[in-house]
Amino acid sequence: MGNADSPPPGAAPDWTIPQDWASYTAQDHALWDHMFARQAAMLPTRVVPAFMEGLNVLRMSKPGIPDFDELNERLSQATGWQVVAVPGLVPDEIFFEHLANRRFVAGRFIRTPAQLDYLQEPDIFHDVFGHVPLLAHPVFADYMQAYGEGGLRAARLGMIEALARLYWYTVEFGLIRDGGDLKLYGAGIVSSYSESLFALDDPSPHRIGFDLERVMRSRYRIDDYQQNYFVIDSFDELLKQTRDADLGPIYERVRGRQPIDVGTLLPTDIVIHAGTQGRARSMAH
Ligand code: HBI
Ligand code: FE
């Protein structure tokens, strides 16, 4: 959701700012530790194993808000990625340019205790706890770079909206098969205690097999839990379908068709679980 503005005062032309790790308060660190402990206790049986491996390889269970310099030593060794601090949401093309160069932009501020379970702008817990562990996984790391490169091309073709939907339903709210089970991998889910439960256990949402064109046509909601989740078979499959495919014909078809509303199932969908949509219905009343 960026705009074409120039960077705010104090930010570099690429919108980065210093993390200024020394300025976090004891309260900031304690809030991180609280959220970290809560997620680390519940995720092991729910999240894709690569996420727990990433936490471990990056030594993220060390108490306190991670210092990006320290985190980057391990992350760059694992996959060549870096985390850089930004003031908040950055314009789409700046965002894509960073990803295409294996730099993940992260907010440096942490939410207030009152925003423990809901906030609109991505803070450091969402960005770093949610996104960074999988950047230590070689295939997911390549997918994120491919997404940035694809975003730069999509911007020239006027297809950013389709790309944003792909990001939403994979990087932010994706589910993945793991043996016979479904597991979480999207950062928007794994950084949220309540959605980590809802996305796997609740009867309300549809869980649909990933199809690139379907996803690029699918609207999403930003104000509540998702009404549909898309399930990939593996990171390899996701990378193959996005980086190595010719997206031109897909874009042409997406451009010519209506977007699909949330909570809708199509006859062509690979339905893994047809949701009751009970939550969305009760919220609407
Ligand atoms: N900026 N800091 C930040 N974080 C994001 O996740 C982000 C962004 N700008 C644009 C954006 N995401 C998405 O809208 C793009 O995928 C289109
Ligand atoms: Fe995010």
Side-chain angles (χ1 to χ4, degrees):
M1 236 66 27
N3 51 53
D5 291 348
S6 46
D14 69 357
W15 287 66
T16 58
I17 53 175
Q19 183 191 12
D20 199 9
W21 187 83
S23 69
Y24 294 117
T25 65
Q27 209 181 6
D28 293 336
H29 289 298
L31 186 57
W32 171 281
D33 289 344
H34 173 73
M35 289 189 286
F36 188 98
R38 192 166 70 152
Q39 290 311 91
M42 83 119 98
L43 284 177
T45 58
R46 297 179 168 269
V47 77
V48 66
F51 182 92
M52 298 307 297
E53 285 155 26
L55 283 182
N56 187 34
V57 165
L58 301 174
R59 301 277 190 276
M60 286 179 67
S61 58
K62 182 178 169 181
I65 295 173
D67 180 336
F68 290 177
D69 291 337
E70 213 177 299
L71 188 60
N72 282 338
E73 277 179 38
R74 295 180 193 279
L75 183 58
S76 62
Q77 216 169 62
T79 56
W81 273 79
Q82 296 276 291
V83 180
V84 293
V86 289
L89 287 177
V90 302
D92 293 335
E93 303 214 32
I94 300 285
F95 183 69
F96 297 141
E97 186 71 37
H98 280 297
L99 296 180
N101 289 284
R102 290 174 102 84
R103 289 186 301 269
F104 188 78
V105 299
R108 68 175 176 185
F109 73 99
I110 190 157
R111 66 196 71 186
T112 66
Q115 297 168 307
L116 196 58
D117 292 301
Y118 181 77
L119 82 168
Q120 249 170 9
E121 272 222 296
D123 76 338
I124 193 169
F125 188 76
H126 167 80
D127 279 334
V128 174
F129 181 87
H131 285 282
V132 172
L134 284 181
L135 292 174
H137 184 277
V139 180
F140 192 83
D142 285 355
Y143 173 66
M144 290 293 282
Q145 179 183 354
Y147 179 82
E149 292 165 347
L152 292 169
R153 283 192 298 271
R156 292 193 291 270
L157 299 170
M159 292 304 292
I160 281 187
E161 198 176 23
L163 257 263
R165 289 178 183 142
L166 173 63
Y167 193 83
W168 192 263
Y169 282 120
T170 59
V171 177
E172 295 292 354
F173 292 97
L175 302 182
I176 186 168
R177 287 183 198 276
D178 182 49
D181 296 330
L182 299 187
K183 295 277 169 72
L184 313 172
Y185 76 91
I189 307 177
V190 304
S191 61
S192 159
Y193 179 78
S194 50
E195 195 152 358
S196 293
L197 301 173
F198 179 87
L200 288 184
D201 299 348
D202 201 277
S204 295
H206 301 314
R207 299 178 182 90
I208 306 168
F210 179 85
D211 175 271
L212 182 58
E213 191 173 325
R214 197 321 180 172
V215 166
M216 286 184 164
R217 291 177 56 211
S218 299
R219 295 188 203 272
Y220 55 84
R221 59 186 302 164
I222 60 170
D223 60 331
D224 193 31
Y225 305 141
Q226 299 307 301
Q227 287 177 241
N228 22 253
Y229 297 96
F230 290 91
V231 181
I232 60 169
D233 286 333
S234 66
F235 293 141
D236 291 271
E237 192 54 38
L238 178 62
L239 181 62
K240 202 165 82 188
Q241 281 198 39
T242 50
R243 182 185 64 183
D244 303 335
D246 179 7
L247 299 187
I250 297 181
Y251 285 157
E252 281 319 304
R253 290 197 295 273
V254 169
R255 210 195 287 276
R257 303 179 73 182
Q258 280 291 109
I260 302 161
D261 271 326
V262 292
T264 308
L265 283 179
L266 305 181
T268 46
D269 283 342
I270 310 148
V271 180
I272 294 165
H273 170 248
T276 62
Q277 296 296 319
R279 179 181 171 91
R281 208 170 297 119
S282 70
M283 300 280 287
H285 292 156

